[in-house]
Amino acid sequence: MGCGMGKSEMQMKKCEKVSISVPAIRAALLIQRWYRQYVARLEMRRRCMWNIFQSIEYAGEQDQIKLYNFFGFLMDHFTPASSERNLISHIFRENEICRDAEWERYFCYKSIEVPDSYSGPHLTFPMTFCGVSKLVEAFQQKQQLHARYVLQILGETWKLLRILPNISHVSACHTKEITICGDLHGQLEDLLLIFYKNGLPSSEKPYVFNGDFVDRGKKSLEILLILFGFLLVYPNDVHLNRGNHEDHIVNLRYGFTKEVLGKYKVHGKKILKLLQKIFSWLPLATVINDKVLIVHGGISDTTDLNMISKVKRHKYVSALRPPKVVSSGSKKETMNGRNMEDSEQTECRRRVYSLGHQSSKRGRKYDPPRRSSHSLPVSHQLNLSVEDELKRRRRLAGFDQSYGEWKRLDSDSDPECEEATETDEQEWKQIVDLLWSDPMPPNGCIPNEVRGGGCYWGPDVTEKILRKHNIQLLIRSHECKQDGYEFCHNRRVLTIFSASNYYEVGSNRGAYIRMGPDLVPHFIQYQASRTCRELTLRQSVGWTERSALQALRTQLFVHKSNLISAFQEFDPNRTGMISLSHWASATESVLKLGLPWRVLRPQLVSSTRDGMVDYQQWIRELSITEPKLEISDTSILETMYKNHSNLETIFRIIDTDHSGLISLEEFRQTWKLLSSHLKMEISDKTISDLAQSIDFNKDGSIDINEFMEAFRLVDLSAHA
């Protein structure tokens, strides 16, 4: 009855449909498998390139610390009258005995006139939200702030920082989420993108910026001025932690010193000197709701927040230089270096593989300080307004609410004039660990020999230190992460990095954190480069890969003599051929970058024969060009390439007037310093030949920038 299909017919129809769809399912599975393998291969390539960038970066940091340790050795062991010591003594500030009154006169901006032709922003003080907003807009339009306003902002920032504690305490609530940003490294476009997506700092939108504002990027000063401007307007809602790059010695190598001097040729030296003092006064940590600790680098097994809260942080102008501890009962060295006898030498600074990592005694229980200076009374009035609190702090700091002349503060006297103690050395180690350390997967705490400063600490140390201070989460920066953030140590440690495209366009995302009263971090990721956002995954990986291999080829080229010597140890008969395994072992023994050389071999070695590498031909195929100069000793060129950054650092140290020019005699002294550091002989004739070959206009002086650019290697494969 009816026209419906029988049960057997329906089952037959269903089977037909299923049988028809089986090939489609198989095809979909094959496509899915292929795509997953494709993405996995791209990810492997990306991680391999990432390791190249990171290894070269950390090797540079280690090289920087080795050079600075050498300078410290000169300061400790050479007589005060020696020429080598005099060349570099000013970077250690041992010849400065200025007090606040002298610094106030030196940094005074009032004599600097703003000409009518100036088209940039005009600022009024005290700073207002409107004023800082105009500053942000001006920098967005690539305008430059006049030197008078720069010095004025920096001067007011210096005053304010001196009344802030070492550890800032902030609160998150339902109506006021806290935004936490990591490294910016002079990339203004990242900061502007954060403000665009998240809003400008205000009393309703507090921010924590976790150090490394400067170096590498080209807009470091603009970032500082924006952050300092908001700090002056909202001192209770904008918090700045010091990073390892807020250090005038590190700035010599990584670009910030050069940036400031290039933008402000007349007043650049004064700006740098004031920034040097500001960096030493930046707070060291921030704590949210007494449960979340934010520091730039990390911790160690000896980290003691109670000790950190009481440190006179401005004494440690450069974290790279440990305090000189005077042995009890020994004769003290005077400022001019007299009364130094062999039997009664001052104790030299302890040089270890990793700066600052050495065991110390356990500290006492943590006592959270309030946001005030070390011994200033704190108002307990809950209804105190932000403006009243700001006025009170200005008054306590020694300057009035109109940002006028301030009184002398004894706490900011020159730290080098104070006698160091064993406690100073313990405090210095605490600061180095906060600024330089990195987490590691295994338990323990070991010197961070990769960077050359701080330590590597494991999950057991995280558990111990966080439990000791009743902290539930540690947020740190200091390391570039591909996604802009990364958890480790059972999600008790969180790394946040806000500089996108850090190594190369497409190399990484930037990120920042929003955190409410539940203290759960919420991440916002971004790419500041429009070009990168338009690239496919394959194009992005390819772009990054080419840049990483270019950097690696340059490293291989500048070590070519050492590489050939290492290869020849595996080639006693001088056949010119070695196995792939020997090639990989020899390459790692010279460069010490910890890279998977056998995996990288297809990208670096174009051809092999029966598993053997023609290393002489391989060196010739690196496709690196070098300048054509008539120099009697060509080995100095390889020394120049290999130590390019070290040489530029020494040049900028010797250029005491920051003119960008050094005399031929200073050029000779630079090379003598470098040869002492490298423990190698470079003859006066070789140095003279090099100097004359680059003194193009024969005026007896050398332009540092032109010299360094002339010796910059070019990878021809990148332009093929």
Side-chain angles (χ1 to χ4, degrees):
M1 181 177 171
C3 59
M5 287 189 294
K7 188 175 181 182
S8 58
E9 285 184 79
M10 291 178 65
Q11 286 178 338
M12 284 182 67
K13 292 264 184 194
K14 191 174 181 181
C15 289
E16 287 177 8
K17 289 181 181 179
V18 171
S19 62
I20 292 172
S21 61
V22 166
I25 292 174
R26 287 177 178 172
L29 290 174
L30 285 173
I31 293 172
Q32 183 185 60
R33 185 184 304 169
W34 172 85
Y35 182 73
R36 285 176 176 174
Q37 292 175 346
Y38 170 76
V39 172
R41 285 194 297 270
L42 285 179
E43 180 62 21
M44 187 178 71
R45 285 169 57 191
R46 189 173 76 149
R47 291 188 180 187
C48 195
M49 298 308 109
W50 183 267
N51 288 339
I52 292 174
F53 280 128
Q54 199 166 62
S55 296
I56 293 175
E57 177 190 7
Y58 290 175
E61 290 184 346
Q62 188 181 70
D63 210 27
Q64 159 85 10
I65 291 178
K66 286 179 181 177
L67 179 64
Y68 197 66
N69 282 345
F70 167 69
F71 292 156
F73 176 82
L74 292 183
M75 295 300 297
D76 289 339
H77 296 281
F78 280 51
T79 62
S82 67
S83 59
E84 293 91 343
R85 195 180 196 274
N86 288 337
L87 280 173
I88 50 93
S89 63
H90 64 279
I91 67 170
F92 294 107
R93 305 181 69 247
E94 293 189 3
N95 58 342
E96 292 183 2
I97 55 175
C98 294
R99 302 292 177 176
D100 289 344
E102 285 81 4
W103 285 124
E104 291 162 18
R105 287 193 292 270
Y106 179 72
F107 295 137
C108 184
Y109 59 86
K110 293 183 177 179
S111 61
I112 303 174
E113 296 292 333
V114 180
D116 295 335
S117 59
Y118 171 68
S119 59
H122 291 265
L123 302 182
T124 58
F125 292 82
M127 290 286 287
T128 62
F129 177 82
C130 182
V132 186
S133 299
K134 289 180 179 178
L135 188 63
V136 172
E137 185 179 346
F139 289 154
Q140 201 166 9
Q141 296 173 357
K142 302 186 182 341
Q143 295 180 346
Q144 183 167 305
L145 188 63
H146 194 273
R148 176 189 173 102
Y149 299 129
V150 173
L151 286 169
Q152 203 166 355
I153 290 177
L154 297 182
E156 305 305 335
T157 302
W158 180 36
K159 300 173 195 176
L160 179 59
L161 287 175
R162 289 186 294 176
I163 65 170
L164 301 185
N166 297 335
I167 303 177
S168 304
H169 282 259
V170 298
S171 298
C173 60
H174 291 287
T175 59
K176 190 157 66 172
E177 284 189 333
I178 294 176
T179 302
I180 305 158
C181 301
D183 298 32
L184 290 166
H185 278 302
Q187 297 185 187
L188 180 62
E189 58 184 3
D190 286 302
L191 180 63
L192 296 177
L193 184 56
I194 292 171
F195 287 163
Y196 173 77
K197 295 170 73 72
N198 194 63
L200 294 173
S202 68
S203 55
E204 291 76 33
K205 196 175 290 293
Y207 275 80
V208 177
F209 294 95
N210 198 25
D212 277 13
F213 318 118
V214 302
D215 280 334
R216 303 190 189 279
K218 298 179 180 180
K219 299 287 186 178
S220 296
L221 187 57
E222 285 83 352
I223 287 177
L224 283 180
L225 293 172
I226 289 172
L227 297 185
F228 291 163
F230 281 116
L231 175 66
L232 291 172
V233 178
Y234 301 108
N236 293 319
D237 300 293
V238 174
H239 308 274
L240 309 180
N241 287 346
R242 184 177 184 178
N244 64 307
H245 278 263
E246 277 68 65
D247 186 311
H248 69 287
I249 301 301
V250 178
N251 301 152
L252 285 167
R253 183 186 186 102
Y254 290 103
F256 183 50
T257 299
K258 180 179 178 181
E259 176 191 329
V260 173
L261 296 176
K263 291 175 179 176
Y264 296 94
K265 300 185 185 305
V266 177
H267 301 286
K269 182 179 180 181
K270 190 176 291 188
I271 291 170
L272 285 172
K273 198 65 181 178
L274 185 48
L275 282 168
Q276 181 176 321
K277 299 185 79 66
I278 286 174
F279 287 166
S280 70
W281 274 107
L282 286 170
L284 302 171
T286 301
V287 176
I288 300 176
N289 288 11
D290 295 327
K291 291 295 182 182
V292 177
L293 173 64
I294 306 172
V295 298
H296 177 72
I299 56 177
S300 73
D301 56 354
T302 62
T303 295
D304 179 6
L305 296 183
N306 190 57
M307 178 182 288
I308 291 168
S309 69
K310 297 176 181 177
V311 167
K312 293 182 178 179
R313 64 184 186 270
H314 69 284
K315 290 171 61 175
Y316 307 97
V317 179
S318 174
L320 297 183
R321 175 78 167 167
K324 183 182 289 186
V325 180
V326 180
S327 301
S328 58
S330 66
K331 188 177 293 185
K332 298 178 179 63
E333 181 183 6
T334 60
M335 288 299 291
N336 61 9
R338 289 177 295 203
N339 298 330
M340 288 282 288
E341 299 177 9
D342 292 339
S343 61
E344 296 180 316
Q345 291 282 347
T346 55
E347 184 180 314
C348 296
R349 295 168 183 82
R350 297 189 181 97
R351 308 279 172 195
V352 291
Y353 290 110
S354 175
L355 282 177
H357 185 62
Q358 192 170 337
S359 297
S360 62
K361 298 178 182 178
R362 287 179 64 112
R364 292 167 293 181
K365 187 178 178 181
Y366 175 46
D367 182 21
R370 297 180 177 86
R371 190 177 173 93
S372 61
S373 62
H374 302 295
S375 58
L376 294 177
V378 180
S379 172
H380 295 280
Q381 300 177 16
L382 297 178
N383 60 347
L384 192 64
S385 70
V386 173
E387 186 59 31
D388 289 340
E389 178 68 8
L390 183 56
K391 290 178 181 178
R392 183 183 68 81
R393 288 176 180 175
R394 290 173 185 161
R395 189 166 58 253
L396 290 171
F399 56 95
D400 60 28
Q401 58 183 318
S402 63
Y403 289 82
E405 293 296 328
W406 65 92
K407 303 171 189 175
R408 172 177 166 176
L409 283 173
D410 292 335
S411 64
D412 199 39
S413 58
D414 191 349
E416 292 292 344
C417 299
E418 301 175 14
E419 180 181 318
T421 64
E422 291 288 350
T423 302
D424 292 331
E425 189 171 18
Q426 293 173 8
E427 292 177 349
W428 168 75
K429 291 170 187 172
Q430 294 278 331
I431 292 176
V432 170
D433 285 338
L434 291 184
L435 301 185
W436 281 89
S437 296
D438 294 304
M440 65 177 182
N443 287 335
C445 189
I446 60 175
N448 191 336
E449 295 180 16
V450 175
R451 288 189 190 267
C455 72
Y456 277 117
W457 87 92
D460 59 328
V461 175
T462 295
E463 181 63 29
K464 168 190 167 184
I465 299 300
L466 267 56
R467 184 175 63 249
K468 172 183 175 182
H469 298 292
N470 196 24
I471 298 291
Q472 69 183 40
L473 177 65
L474 169 63
I475 297 178
R476 43 91 64 178
S477 302
H478 194 44
E479 284 185 286
C480 183
K481 298 299 179 182
Q482 289 183 339
D483 293 321
Y485 72 93
E486 182 180 275
F487 278 105
C488 64
H489 294 184
N490 302 315
R491 298 181 71 87
R492 301 294 301 278
V493 175
L494 169 59
T495 299
I496 187 72
F497 197 86
S498 299
S500 65
N501 308 302
Y502 178 64
Y503 293 123
E504 180 55 82
V505 173
S507 64
N508 67 285
R509 294 179 179 180
Y512 60 90
I513 299 169
R514 277 206 294 254
M515 181 174 285
D518 58 0
L519 303 182
V520 175
H522 300 275
F523 306 100
I524 295 87
Q525 299 169 291
Y526 54 85
Q527 287 275 12
S529 170
R530 181 175 298 176
T531 303
C532 181
R533 292 196 294 268
E534 295 172 354
L535 295 177
T536 65
L537 177 61
R538 182 176 182 179
Q539 289 171 330
S540 176
V541 172
W543 194 320
T544 305
E545 188 174 58
R546 284 191 295 273
S547 180
L549 291 174
Q550 178 183 343
L552 187 56
R553 287 192 194 96
T554 302
Q555 289 293 314
L556 291 166
F557 182 81
V558 301
H559 290 85
K560 61 181 180 180
S561 295
N562 294 339
L563 283 169
I564 290 174
S565 298
F567 294 150
Q568 288 176 346
E569 290 184 11
F570 295 104
D571 182 26
N573 298 325
R574 299 298 185 267
T575 62
M577 307 289 289
I578 58 174
S579 68
L580 284 173
S581 61
H582 287 162
W583 171 84
S585 299
T587 304
E588 175 58 28
S589 69
V590 173
L591 268 68
K592 296 181 174 61
L593 293 177
L595 294 173
W597 294 104
R598 299 191 72 168
V599 175
L600 290 169
R601 193 271 308 166
Q603 285 90 358
L604 296 175
V605 182
S606 59
S607 62
T608 58
R609 284 181 289 174
D610 300 323
M612 304 292 284
V613 177
D614 184 338
Y615 57 86
Q616 295 282 5
Q617 179 66 22
W618 175 67
I619 291 288
R620 290 193 292 270
E621 290 177 351
L622 284 174
S623 304
I624 304 293
T625 62
E626 49 187 323
K628 302 293 186 290
L629 296 173
E630 297 181 3
I631 299 173
S632 57
D633 183 2
T634 55
S635 65
I636 197 174
L637 292 178
E638 188 168 337
T639 302
M640 168 74 208
Y641 305 142
K642 199 182 302 182
N643 299 277
H644 191 273
S645 296
N646 280 344
L647 196 58
E648 183 171 6
T649 300
I650 298 175
F651 275 147
R652 300 206 179 279
I653 289 171
I654 289 178
D655 180 25
T656 54
D657 62 353
H658 298 302
S659 65
L661 300 172
I662 58 174
S663 67
L664 294 180
E665 175 58 24
E666 288 172 330
F667 182 82
R668 187 189 70 82
Q669 291 173 329
T670 298
W671 275 99
K672 286 298 183 183
L673 263 181
L674 183 62
S675 63
S676 298
H677 172 52
L678 300 176
K679 297 181 175 63
M680 62 180 292
E681 288 293 329
I682 301 177
S683 68
D684 287 340
K685 183 181 186 306
T686 301
I687 297 173
S688 178
D689 288 349
L690 181 60
Q692 291 177 8
S693 67
I694 58 176
D695 182 17
F696 303 112
N697 57 4
K698 306 303 178 186
D699 63 350
S701 63
I702 296 171
D703 185 294
I704 298 174
N705 294 329
E706 287 184 4
F707 174 77
M708 301 310 297
E709 193 60 36
F711 284 85
R712 199 171 300 280
L713 295 171
V714 178
D715 185 354
L716 294 181
S717 64
H719 304 280

